[in-house]
Amino acid sequence: TEKLVRKIDFYVTVECVVSSRFAHTVMTSVALNKANSSQEIFFEMELPKTAFITNFSMEIEGQVYVGEVKEKEKAKKQYEKAVSHGQTAGLVKASGRKMEKFSVSVNIAAESNVTFILTYEELLQRNLGQYEILTRVKPKSLVQQFQIVTKIYEPQGLAHVDAHATFLSNDLLPLVEKTVTDKKAHISFSPTMDQQRTCPSCDGTLIDGDFIVKYDVKRDSKLGDIQIVNGYFVHFFSPPDLPRLPKNVVFVIDRSGSMSGRKMSQTREALLAILDDIHEEDYFALVQFDDRIDFWKENLTKATEENVAEAMSYVKTIQDNGGTDIHGGLMKGIDMLIQDRQANRLPERSTDMIILLTDGMPNSGVSDLPSIQNNVRSAIGGNISLFCLGFGNDVDYSFLDVLSKQNQGLARRIFEASDAALQLQGFYEEVSTPMLLEVDLLYPDNVVDFVTTSHFRQLFNGSEIVVAGRLSDNNINNFLVEVSGQGASTLDWDVLYPDEEYVFGDFTERLWAYLTIQQLLEKSTTAGPDEKVNATAKALDMSLQYSFVTPLTSMVVTKPEDEEGTSSPLIANKLTEGKNKSRTSFRMWFFFSRLQHYLDGDPHFILELPDKNDSLCFNINDAPGTIFNLLRDLESGILVNGEVIGDKQIPPDGKINTYFWRFGIIHKTLRVRLEVSTEEISVFQEEKLVKLLWSDTVTKDRSLTVTLKDSVKFVILLHKVWKNHPYHRDYLGFYTLDSHLLSPAVHGLLGTTQHSCDMSLGWQRDFRKNLKTGENVPCWFIHNNGTGLIDGDMKDYIVSGLFKNQ
C-alpha cells in the first residue's frame, strides 16, 4: 500500500466563508495517478450533521460531472435503473457525534487526474457563548499541497476569534495564521509535506483530527442585529447582560436492568456533578423508574446546600433493576411540577423543565409510543419543556426526538464512551441557565412575509435566536421590529431598526431557505397529519429549489461511461439522527440477477432449480445454540455461518422450535467480517468496528442487503414476533442472489447438492413478497434433514464458532 500511495499525489483545499453566521464550505481534492496503470481513487470528507450538501462534482480528464438534487424516490429509481444494467457504483455514508462522512471512489486512468469538489452550507449555532466551525481532516497520507482557509465577516463586529486543532504540535502551531480586524477574520493553515510527516524519514502524516475555529460577535444592542440583503432579512437576537431566571427541574432517571454497569455508574457520576453545580435559587426533584416509580421527595425542593447534599446521597443509592416504564416516570415528573405550580410553591418568574435520561424502549406500563407522546403532550399542555437524553445504542432516538420537540425541548444522544458523564454535564450546562421566557419577535405584516419561527418558549444563556424572512418590497431598507419576553425582572423593551444595507452575496436568502427547511422538517415529524403533509411538501419544494440535500432529497452524479459505453451513478443522501442513530450507514452497491438459494422459518431451506419452475426444500432440526456452515467458498474467500436459537420455553406440545437468529459473514479478500443478529449489525474491518441497529439502514420491510464485491449478494430478513409471545422469538431469514458467481468448489448447506433423495411434494413459505404472512411455494421436500440432497450428514456442517471454518 505504501508503494501505491507514492504513485498518487493528492492536493487538498478546504475553504470556508462565513457571512453573518452562515457558512459556505468548499472541499476540493485533486488526485494525480502517476502510475502506468489505472487505479481506484478515493475521495472522503466529513461534514457537520447540521449542514446540507449543495453540490458535488467531479472533473475527470477535462470532463466535469455535476450533481443534481432530486426528490429521493426519483433519485433512487434513476440509480436502480442504471445499476440494473450491471454497473458498479458505490457510496458509503457515515455519521459520528457531530459529523457525517461523504465518501466515493472512481477508477482513474494512468497518468491522469481527478478533481472532487464537495460544497455544503450551514447556519452556525451559538452554543455556550460562541460559534464553532469544525473541519475534520483525515488525509491518511502525505498531501502535496494542503490548505485550510476560513474567512469570517460579521457586521456586528468580532468579539474574539480562536483557532486550534486536535493534532497541532508545537512545531505545527506557528503555521496557523490568523488576521482579525473589527468585522473580518482570516485564518489559514498550510503545512508542507515535510511539516506533515510524523518524522523526517516517515511517510505517515500528523494531519489527523479536527481543525476548529471558535468566535463570537459584539453585542451592543439588547434587541439584537438585523441585516437586509437583496430582499431578505435576518434578525439575530441574543441580548447581553440579562439576569438569569430560576428554573424548576425534575430529573427522570431510567434505572431499568439495561442500564446496568457502566451506564448506571456514569449516570450517577453526571448527576452528582450536576447537583454540585445547581444554583441555589433553583428547585429540583429526582424521579427514578424501572417497572416501578420511586422518587426522592414528593415535591420539588429548593437547592440549598443541605438539600443538595441529601440529594447526592440519594443518587448514590440508585441501582438498576426491572423493566422500563418511561410513561410512568414522565407522568410522575409532570404531576409534581403541576402540583407545585398550582400550590404556589415555585417562584412565579421561573421556568419548568423535565430532563429524561433513558437507554431503552418502554416495555412496562404504557408502552405504545404514540400513546406516550399524546399523553405527555396533553399533560404538559405547553407549560413545561421536556429534554430527552437517549443513552446508548438501543434507544429509539426518533421517539425521543418527537417527544421533546412536541414539548418545547430537544433530544440529544449520549454516546456510549468513557466521557458519557461529561456529555451529560455538557448538555445540562447548555440548558441550565434560562434568561428569557416566551420571547416574541414581531415584524410588520405589510413589510415582511414568509417569516421563519418568531416565537420561542425560552432563550438560554450563551445561545441565540435567529429569525429570517422575505421583504414584500425589495426597495425597503428600514422597518420597525418589536421584541417582547419575560425575564427575571421587568424589562423595558424598546424597538429596533435595521442597520444600513450592505451587500455580501445572496447569503440572507439561502440562510432564510436553510432555516425554513429545517423548521418544516421538524414540523413534518411533530405536527398533525394534515400539517405533516403540507410541511413535507413545502420542505421538498424548497430543497429542490435551493439544491439542498435534505432527508427528502438526494444528489445524483452520473459517473463517466465505462469501456462498454454505459454510465453509473452515485447517489448522496442526507442522514437523519433518528433513523440512523448517529452511527455508520454501511452500503456497498452492485447488481446481480436472480434469487437462487434461501432459508427461512424454523429453519427451512429452499434451493431453486435454475431454468426450471421447481424447487427443492429441507428442514434442519438440531439443538439451540448450534452453529451451521451455510456457505464456504475457498476461492472467493467467502464464509457464511448461522446460529440457531430455540423457543423461550418448552411449548405444551413439547416440541421446541428453532430459528436462525445470528449470521456471521466473512469476505477474506476485503478483510471484512459482518455479524447480523436479530438485535444489531456489526461490521469489522481492519480492527475497526461499526455497529448498526436494524433501523439504521433498512426499510420498513426490515430487510438488509449485503453485497460482496464481484461475488454473491445476500438478503437478510428480520422477522419480528409479538414481544409478549410466550414461546416464539424474533428470527432471521437468509437469501442469496446470483449463486452462480460462487466458484464450483463452494460448500455448505446452501452450497452443495447431491442426488438420490427421499423426497415428497410439499410446500414451504417464501417471505420475500410478504414479510408477515409469507407465500406458500411448491417444492420437493427432502426428508431427514436433507439427507441425500446435501453432501454428507447434517452434523458435518456444524462448526465451533460464528466465524470458524470447522
Side-chain angles (χ1 to χ4, degrees):
T1 56
E2 289 185 4
K3 185 178 180 181
L4 176 66
V5 168
R6 285 197 294 270
K7 290 186 177 181
I8 301 175
D9 286 348
F10 291 98
Y11 305 81
V12 177
T13 301
V14 182
E15 183 176 59
C16 176
V17 178
V18 180
S19 179
S20 293
R21 291 74 143 176
F22 195 66
H24 176 93
T25 302
V26 180
M27 298 178 168
T28 304
S29 181
V30 180
L32 172 62
N33 178 16
K34 300 195 299 184
N36 56 9
S37 61
S38 63
Q39 296 189 54
E40 192 174 21
I41 306 294
F42 292 88
F43 172 78
E44 182 176 284
M45 298 301 294
E46 295 190 47
L47 58 148
K49 285 184 182 180
T50 52
F52 289 154
I53 292 174
T54 60
N55 181 58
F56 175 67
S57 62
M58 299 182 293
E59 182 177 347
I60 303 174
E61 297 180 4
Q63 182 69 43
V64 179
Y65 305 87
V66 181
E68 182 181 1
V69 176
K70 295 188 174 184
E71 184 178 353
K72 190 176 287 288
E73 283 304 310
K74 291 181 180 179
K76 182 181 177 183
K77 288 177 181 178
Q78 177 181 340
Y79 178 85
E80 290 176 344
K81 181 180 179 181
V83 172
S84 68
H85 291 98
Q87 305 308 308
T88 62
L91 176 70
V92 178
K93 307 183 302 299
S95 62
R97 293 190 184 183
K98 294 183 177 181
M99 309 295 281
E100 294 175 352
K101 185 181 295 181
F102 181 96
S103 173
V104 71
S105 65
V106 296
N107 205 53
I108 186 66
E111 300 179 350
S112 296
N113 63 68
V114 57
T115 300
F116 301 98
I117 301 175
L118 176 69
T119 306
Y120 62 84
E121 296 177 336
E122 64 170 328
L123 176 64
L124 302 177
Q125 302 291 320
R126 188 168 187 255
N127 183 31
L128 299 177
Q130 56 191 355
Y131 308 96
E132 179 181 275
I133 306 163
L134 193 156
T135 305
R136 182 155 294 168
V137 283
K138 293 179 176 290
K140 298 180 182 178
S141 62
L142 298 174
V143 179
Q144 295 290 115
Q145 292 180 9
F146 180 83
Q147 186 177 41
I148 298 175
V149 177
T150 303
K151 302 174 183 177
I152 303 171
Y153 174 67
E154 290 289 353
Q156 284 178 255
L158 292 165
H160 71 265
V161 180
D162 298 310
H164 71 281
T166 57
F167 52 80
L168 282 183
S169 62
N170 290 335
D171 293 332
L172 291 177
L173 191 59
L175 301 180
V176 179
E177 298 181 359
K178 183 175 71 172
T179 303
V180 181
T181 60
D182 181 37
K183 296 183 179 182
K184 294 182 180 180
H186 186 282
I187 301 102
S188 65
F189 175 65
S190 183
T192 64
M193 281 189 70
D194 287 339
Q195 290 167 333
Q196 297 170 40
R197 297 181 190 276
T198 52
C199 70
S201 59
C202 300
D203 289 333
T205 176
L206 294 169
I207 312 302
D208 183 4
D210 296 335
F211 189 85
I212 303 166
V213 175
K214 294 184 178 182
Y215 76 93
D216 198 16
V217 300
K218 295 176 181 177
R219 302 177 189 278
D220 299 326
S221 170
K222 284 188 176 181
L223 299 183
D225 178 64
I226 293 184
Q227 291 143 32
I228 298 175
V229 182
N230 298 338
Y232 289 82
F233 80 90
V234 57
H235 182 187
F236 301 101
F237 178 69
S238 182
D241 305 323
L242 289 177
R244 69 180 300 279
L245 274 165
K247 66 179 178 297
N248 315 303
V249 56
V250 178
F251 297 95
V252 179
I253 307 147
D254 185 347
R255 64 168 185 202
S256 59
S258 57
M259 288 286 289
S260 63
R262 186 72 177 135
K263 291 180 189 176
M264 197 73 258
S265 64
Q266 289 173 324
T267 300
R268 286 192 295 264
E269 180 185 342
L271 283 171
L272 291 172
I274 288 170
L275 288 173
D276 191 48
D277 237 6
I278 200 165
H279 198 277
E280 62 183 1
E281 295 302 316
D282 294 340
Y283 284 71
F284 72 101
L286 300 167
V287 174
Q288 52 174 321
F289 67 90
D290 42 40
D291 45 20
R292 298 178 297 109
I293 313 300
D294 289 320
F295 44 86
W296 173 48
K297 293 187 178 182
E298 184 67 46
N299 304 108
L300 276 81
T301 304
K302 192 173 184 180
T304 63
E305 185 177 345
E306 181 182 357
N307 288 337
V308 168
E310 187 181 338
M312 292 173 79
S313 298
Y314 176 80
V315 165
K316 293 175 184 177
T317 68
I318 298 177
Q319 298 293 328
D320 52 273
N321 181 45
T324 309
D325 186 1
I326 291 177
H327 180 268
L330 284 175
M331 295 305 284
K332 177 60 182 176
I334 295 168
D335 183 63
M336 291 173 74
L337 279 166
I338 291 175
Q339 294 297 326
D340 283 4
R341 180 63 72 180
Q342 290 176 345
N344 296 319
R345 285 191 285 263
L346 304 175
E348 182 180 356
R349 286 183 179 271
S350 61
T351 184
D352 300 335
M353 64 176 68
I354 293 174
I355 297 179
L356 166 69
L357 173 64
T358 181
D359 79 327
M361 286 283 289
N363 58 19
S364 181
V366 178
S367 57
D368 177 64
L369 302 187
S371 297
I372 294 174
Q373 290 168 341
N374 291 335
N375 292 349
V376 168
R377 189 177 194 174
S378 176
I380 283 179
N383 299 316
I384 301 169
S385 296
L386 173 59
F387 299 93
C388 298
L389 302 180
F391 201 128
N393 302 327
D394 301 325
V395 69
D396 189 333
Y397 184 85
S398 58
F399 159 65
L400 297 181
D401 189 43
V402 172
L403 190 64
S404 58
K405 286 177 179 176
Q406 286 178 336
N407 297 285
Q408 299 85 40
L410 55 88
R412 189 70 57 83
R413 181 179 296 281
I414 302 300
F415 293 84
E416 287 188 67
S418 59
D419 68 338
L422 292 176
Q423 294 175 55
L424 289 166
Q425 291 169 240
F427 170 81
Y428 181 75
E429 188 178 356
E430 290 179 42
V431 301
S432 63
T433 313
M435 310 301 286
L436 288 175
L437 300 177
E438 307 303 337
V439 182
D440 284 292
L441 300 96
L442 305 176
Y443 310 90
D445 293 337
N446 62 335
V447 175
V448 303
D449 54 16
F450 297 101
V451 178
T452 60
T453 300
S454 59
H455 172 80
F456 301 84
R457 172 168 167 77
Q458 53 208 349
L459 172 69
F460 293 105
N461 185 39
S463 66
E464 182 176 62
I465 287 172
V466 182
V467 181
R470 194 172 72 181
L471 302 180
S472 55
D473 183 351
N474 282 0
N475 294 320
I476 294 176
N477 293 325
N478 213 326
F479 57 87
L480 178 74
V481 180
E482 294 183 43
V483 182
S484 64
Q486 301 172 15
S489 57
T490 303
L491 299 176
D492 182 19
W493 293 105
D494 205 343
V495 295
L496 172 70
Y497 290 92
D499 289 340
E500 69 278 5
E501 179 181 6
Y502 71 96
V503 177
F504 198 82
D506 65 346
F507 85 92
T508 45
E509 180 178 355
R510 295 192 65 78
L511 187 156
W512 165 79
Y514 173 97
L515 201 53
T516 302
I517 292 170
Q518 291 277 32
Q519 292 173 359
L520 287 169
L521 290 172
E522 181 175 320
K523 186 178 288 185
S524 71
T525 64
T526 60
D530 292 339
E531 276 191 285
K532 283 185 180 182
V533 172
N534 292 335
T536 302
K538 289 178 183 177
L540 172 60
D541 184 59
M542 290 188 66
S543 299
L544 295 172
Q545 180 183 350
Y546 289 91
S547 294
F548 284 134
V549 177
T550 71
L552 304 176
T553 56
S554 298
M555 180 170 286
V556 178
V557 184
T558 302
K559 290 170 64 177
E561 292 185 349
D562 60 15
E563 294 176 358
E564 298 178 359
T566 53
S567 61
S568 185
L570 303 170
I571 184 167
N573 295 320
K574 173 68 178 174
L575 301 179
T576 56
E577 179 76 13
K579 292 183 179 179
N580 292 281
K581 305 281 195 286
S582 287
R583 297 191 294 167
T584 304
S585 179
F586 185 92
R587 298 181 186 177
M588 289 182 285
W589 299 81
F590 296 91
F591 174 74
F592 299 93
S593 59
R594 56 169 293 185
L595 194 70
Q596 287 186 326
H597 296 176
Y598 53 98
L599 65 91
D600 219 318
D602 50 357
H604 60 253
F605 294 69
I606 304 179
L607 311 181
E608 290 185 352
L609 301 177
D611 305 319
K612 296 181 181 180
N613 294 322
D614 235 336
S615 299
L616 303 175
C617 55
F618 63 97
N619 289 354
I620 287 290
N621 297 301
D622 205 90
T626 304
I627 302 173
F628 293 101
N629 173 239
L630 305 179
L631 282 174
R632 183 169 70 251
D633 189 350
L634 298 178
E635 288 189 18
S636 64
I638 293 174
L639 175 74
V640 181
N641 293 333
E643 181 177 353
V644 295
I645 193 171
D647 284 333
K648 299 174 185 175
Q649 57 183 329
I650 301 176
D653 61 6
K655 178 186 175 183
I656 297 180
N657 295 291
T658 58
Y659 326 83
F660 277 99
W661 79 281
R662 197 162 64 119
F663 294 118
I665 302 170
I666 291 179
H667 193 303
K668 289 188 177 179
T669 306
L670 298 178
R671 290 183 291 181
V672 171
R673 288 194 307 159
L674 180 68
E675 181 179 334
V676 182
S677 73
T678 53
E679 298 173 352
E680 64 182 14
I681 303 155
S682 299
V683 183
F684 306 83
Q685 186 172 30
E686 297 179 347
E687 299 182 353
K688 294 182 180 178
L689 169 62
V690 173
K691 285 193 175 184
L692 310 142
L693 297 182
W694 273 93
S695 54
D696 289 343
T697 57
V698 299
T699 57
K700 292 180 180 178
D701 62 359
R702 296 195 295 268
S703 67
L704 173 70
T705 301
V706 180
T707 304
L708 303 177
K709 187 176 181 181
D710 301 325
S711 186
V712 71
K713 179 178 183 179
F714 305 128
V715 176
I716 299 174
L717 302 181
L718 172 62
H719 297 278
K720 297 290 288 184
V721 176
W722 177 48
K723 64 182 179 181
N724 293 325
H725 196 289
Y727 308 113
H728 300 333
R729 302 177 186 265
D730 296 347
Y731 63 94
L732 300 174
F734 185 89
Y735 296 71
T736 69
L737 279 75
D738 262 13
S739 299
H740 68 272
L741 292 175
L742 295 166
S743 75
V746 67
H747 209 261
L749 287 174
L750 283 175
T752 182
T753 59
Q754 299 295 309
H755 308 284
S756 183
C757 308
D758 175 17
M759 66 177 69
S760 59
L761 189 61
W763 297 84
Q764 287 287 18
R765 199 165 291 277
D766 178 2
F767 289 91
R768 282 172 292 174
K769 294 182 180 178
N770 189 317
L771 186 66
K772 291 185 178 180
T773 61
E775 179 181 288
N776 274 329
V777 296
C779 67
W780 289 98
F781 185 77
I782 314 303
H783 300 281
N784 301 319
N785 289 323
T787 301
L789 175 65
I790 61 176
D791 183 10
D793 184 80
M794 175 266 293
K795 293 190 179 297
D796 296 336
Y797 296 86
I798 296 176
V799 293
S800 58
L802 200 62
F803 296 104
K804 299 289 187 180
N805 282 315
Q806 55 187 6

